[in-house]
mmCIF file with all atom_site columns, all heavy atoms in Angstrom:
data_model
loop_
_atom_site.group_PDB
_atom_site.id
_atom_site.type_symbol
_atom_site.label_atom_id
_atom_site.label_alt_id
_atom_site.label_comp_id
_atom_site.label_asym_id
_atom_site.label_entity_id
_atom_site.label_seq_id
_atom_site.pdbx_PDB_ins_code
_atom_site.Cartn_x
_atom_site.Cartn_y
_atom_site.Cartn_z
_atom_site.occupancy
_atom_site.B_iso_or_equiv
_atom_site.pdbx_formal_charge
_atom_site.auth_seq_id
_atom_site.auth_comp_id
_atom_site.auth_asym_id
_atom_site.auth_atom_id
_atom_site.pdbx_PDB_model_num
ATOM   1  N N   . VAL A 1 72  ? -72.792 -66.369 -37.359 1.00 98.00 ? 321 VAL A N   1
ATOM   2  C CA  . VAL A 1 72  ? -72.061 -67.169 -36.381 1.00 98.00 ? 321 VAL A CA  1
ATOM   3  C C   . VAL A 1 72  ? -73.123 -67.661 -35.364 1.00 98.00 ? 321 VAL A C   1
ATOM   4  O O   . VAL A 1 72  ? -73.917 -66.857 -34.892 1.00 98.00 ? 321 VAL A O   1
ATOM   5  C CB  . VAL A 1 72  ? -70.921 -66.380 -35.734 1.00 98.00 ? 321 VAL A CB  1
ATOM   6  C CG1 . VAL A 1 72  ? -70.293 -67.141 -34.591 1.00 98.00 ? 321 VAL A CG1 1
ATOM   7  C CG2 . VAL A 1 72  ? -69.879 -65.982 -36.767 1.00 98.00 ? 321 VAL A CG2 1
ATOM   8  N N   . ARG A 1 78  ? -68.096 -63.843 -30.403 1.00 98.00 ? 327 ARG A N   1
ATOM   9  C CA  . ARG A 1 78  ? -67.034 -63.077 -29.727 1.00 98.00 ? 327 ARG A CA  1
ATOM   10 C C   . ARG A 1 78  ? -65.792 -63.911 -29.492 1.00 98.00 ? 327 ARG A C   1
ATOM   11 O O   . ARG A 1 78  ? -65.079 -63.738 -28.500 1.00 98.00 ? 327 ARG A O   1
ATOM   12 C CB  . ARG A 1 78  ? -67.542 -62.442 -28.421 1.00 98.00 ? 327 ARG A CB  1
ATOM   13 C CG  . ARG A 1 78  ? -68.713 -61.484 -28.633 1.00 98.00 ? 327 ARG A CG  1
ATOM   14 C CD  . ARG A 1 78  ? -68.512 -60.413 -29.674 1.00 98.00 ? 327 ARG A CD  1
ATOM   15 N NE  . ARG A 1 78  ? -67.660 -59.297 -29.281 1.00 98.00 ? 327 ARG A NE  1
ATOM   16 C CZ  . ARG A 1 78  ? -68.117 -58.160 -28.759 1.00 98.00 ? 327 ARG A CZ  1
ATOM   17 N NH1 . ARG A 1 78  ? -69.412 -57.975 -28.622 1.00 98.00 ? 327 ARG A NH1 1
ATOM   18 N NH2 . ARG A 1 78  ? -67.287 -57.202 -28.434 1.00 98.00 ? 327 ARG A NH2 1
ATOM   19 N N   . GLY A 1 80  ? -63.886 -64.310 -32.399 1.00 98.00 ? 329 GLY A N   1
ATOM   20 C CA  . GLY A 1 80  ? -63.126 -63.957 -33.581 1.00 98.00 ? 329 GLY A CA  1
ATOM   21 C C   . GLY A 1 80  ? -63.454 -64.800 -34.833 1.00 98.00 ? 329 GLY A C   1
ATOM   22 O O   . GLY A 1 80  ? -62.735 -64.740 -35.839 1.00 98.00 ? 329 GLY A O   1
ATOM   23 N N   . ASN A 1 109 ? -79.735 -53.405 -37.254 1.00 96.00 ? 358 ASN A N   1
ATOM   24 C CA  . ASN A 1 109 ? -78.842 -54.484 -36.805 1.00 96.00 ? 358 ASN A CA  1
ATOM   25 C C   . ASN A 1 109 ? -77.564 -53.864 -36.238 1.00 96.00 ? 358 ASN A C   1
ATOM   26 O O   . ASN A 1 109 ? -76.490 -53.866 -36.864 1.00 96.00 ? 358 ASN A O   1
ATOM   27 C CB  . ASN A 1 109 ? -78.551 -55.447 -37.985 1.00 96.00 ? 358 ASN A CB  1
ATOM   28 C CG  . ASN A 1 109 ? -77.896 -56.737 -37.498 1.00 96.00 ? 358 ASN A CG  1
ATOM   29 O OD1 . ASN A 1 109 ? -77.421 -56.817 -36.352 1.00 96.00 ? 358 ASN A OD1 1
ATOM   30 N ND2 . ASN A 1 109 ? -77.832 -57.740 -38.348 1.00 96.00 ? 358 ASN A ND2 1
HETATM 31 C C1  . COA B 2 .   ? -72.285 -60.144 -36.527 1.00 77.23 ? 691 COA B C1  1
HETATM 32 C C2  . COA B 2 .   ? -71.717 -61.526 -36.221 1.00 77.23 ? 691 COA B C2  1
HETATM 33 C C3  . COA B 2 .   ? -71.478 -62.289 -37.513 1.00 77.23 ? 691 COA B C3  1
HETATM 34 C C4  . COA B 2 .   ? -70.332 -61.378 -35.476 1.00 77.23 ? 691 COA B C4  1
HETATM 35 O O1  . COA B 2 .   ? -69.766 -62.671 -35.257 1.00 77.23 ? 691 COA B O1  1
HETATM 36 P P1  . COA B 2 .   ? -68.627 -62.942 -34.168 1.00 77.23 ? 691 COA B P1  1
HETATM 37 O O2  . COA B 2 .   ? -67.924 -64.168 -34.538 1.00 77.23 ? 691 COA B O2  1
HETATM 38 O O3  . COA B 2 .   ? -69.221 -62.919 -32.808 1.00 77.23 ? 691 COA B O3  1
HETATM 39 O O4  . COA B 2 .   ? -67.678 -61.691 -34.368 1.00 77.23 ? 691 COA B O4  1
HETATM 40 P P2  . COA B 2 .   ? -66.133 -61.552 -33.923 1.00 77.23 ? 691 COA B P2  1
HETATM 41 O O5  . COA B 2 .   ? -65.900 -62.353 -32.673 1.00 77.23 ? 691 COA B O5  1
HETATM 42 O O6  . COA B 2 .   ? -65.249 -61.963 -35.079 1.00 77.23 ? 691 COA B O6  1
HETATM 43 O O7  . COA B 2 .   ? -66.035 -60.008 -33.642 1.00 77.23 ? 691 COA B O7  1
HETATM 44 C C5  . COA B 2 .   ? -64.919 -59.229 -34.070 1.00 77.23 ? 691 COA B C5  1
HETATM 45 C C6  . COA B 2 .   ? -65.082 -57.850 -33.520 1.00 77.23 ? 691 COA B C6  1
HETATM 46 O O8  . COA B 2 .   ? -66.268 -57.210 -34.033 1.00 77.23 ? 691 COA B O8  1
HETATM 47 C C7  . COA B 2 .   ? -66.898 -56.434 -33.003 1.00 77.23 ? 691 COA B C7  1
HETATM 48 N N1  . COA B 2 .   ? -68.195 -57.048 -32.650 1.00 77.23 ? 691 COA B N1  1
HETATM 49 C C8  . COA B 2 .   ? -68.641 -58.275 -32.935 1.00 77.23 ? 691 COA B C8  1
HETATM 50 N N2  . COA B 2 .   ? -69.877 -58.501 -32.435 1.00 77.23 ? 691 COA B N2  1
HETATM 51 C C9  . COA B 2 .   ? -70.221 -57.371 -31.776 1.00 77.23 ? 691 COA B C9  1
HETATM 52 C C10 . COA B 2 .   ? -71.363 -56.950 -31.071 1.00 77.23 ? 691 COA B C10 1
HETATM 53 N N3  . COA B 2 .   ? -72.441 -57.786 -30.848 1.00 77.23 ? 691 COA B N3  1
HETATM 54 N N4  . COA B 2 .   ? -71.401 -55.691 -30.535 1.00 77.23 ? 691 COA B N4  1
HETATM 55 C C11 . COA B 2 .   ? -70.344 -54.882 -30.690 1.00 77.23 ? 691 COA B C11 1
HETATM 56 N N5  . COA B 2 .   ? -69.218 -55.187 -31.390 1.00 77.23 ? 691 COA B N5  1
HETATM 57 C C12 . COA B 2 .   ? -69.157 -56.444 -31.926 1.00 77.23 ? 691 COA B C12 1
HETATM 58 C C13 . COA B 2 .   ? -65.959 -56.465 -31.819 1.00 77.23 ? 691 COA B C13 1
HETATM 59 O O9  . COA B 2 .   ? -65.039 -55.408 -31.965 1.00 77.23 ? 691 COA B O9  1
HETATM 60 C C14 . COA B 2 .   ? -65.259 -57.818 -32.018 1.00 77.23 ? 691 COA B C14 1
HETATM 61 O O10 . COA B 2 .   ? -63.984 -57.871 -31.402 1.00 77.23 ? 691 COA B O10 1
HETATM 62 P P3  . COA B 2 .   ? -63.867 -58.210 -29.797 1.00 77.23 ? 691 COA B P3  1
HETATM 63 O O11 . COA B 2 .   ? -64.747 -59.385 -29.524 1.00 77.23 ? 691 COA B O11 1
HETATM 64 O O12 . COA B 2 .   ? -62.419 -58.475 -29.615 1.00 77.23 ? 691 COA B O12 1
HETATM 65 O O13 . COA B 2 .   ? -64.345 -56.976 -29.087 1.00 77.23 ? 691 COA B O13 1
HETATM 66 C C15 . COA B 2 .   ? -72.696 -62.335 -35.273 1.00 77.23 ? 691 COA B C15 1
HETATM 67 O O14 . COA B 2 .   ? -73.015 -61.522 -34.172 1.00 77.23 ? 691 COA B O14 1
HETATM 68 C C16 . COA B 2 .   ? -73.965 -62.817 -35.980 1.00 77.23 ? 691 COA B C16 1
HETATM 69 O O15 . COA B 2 .   ? -73.974 -63.913 -36.541 1.00 77.23 ? 691 COA B O15 1
HETATM 70 N N6  . COA B 2 .   ? -75.014 -62.013 -35.896 1.00 77.23 ? 691 COA B N6  1
HETATM 71 C C17 . COA B 2 .   ? -76.360 -62.389 -36.481 1.00 77.23 ? 691 COA B C17 1
HETATM 72 C C18 . COA B 2 .   ? -76.336 -62.444 -37.980 1.00 77.23 ? 691 COA B C18 1
HETATM 73 C C19 . COA B 2 .   ? -75.927 -61.121 -38.583 1.00 77.23 ? 691 COA B C19 1
HETATM 74 O O16 . COA B 2 .   ? -76.355 -60.040 -38.139 1.00 77.23 ? 691 COA B O16 1
HETATM 75 N N7  . COA B 2 .   ? -75.065 -61.197 -39.615 1.00 77.23 ? 691 COA B N7  1
HETATM 76 C C20 . COA B 2 .   ? -74.538 -60.003 -40.322 1.00 77.23 ? 691 COA B C20 1
HETATM 77 C C21 . COA B 2 .   ? -75.611 -59.518 -41.254 1.00 77.23 ? 691 COA B C21 1
HETATM 78 S S1  . COA B 2 .   ? -74.938 -58.277 -42.317 1.00 77.23 ? 691 COA B S1  1
#
Side-chain angles (χ1 to χ4, degrees):
V321 172
R327 300 307 283 266
N358 192 346

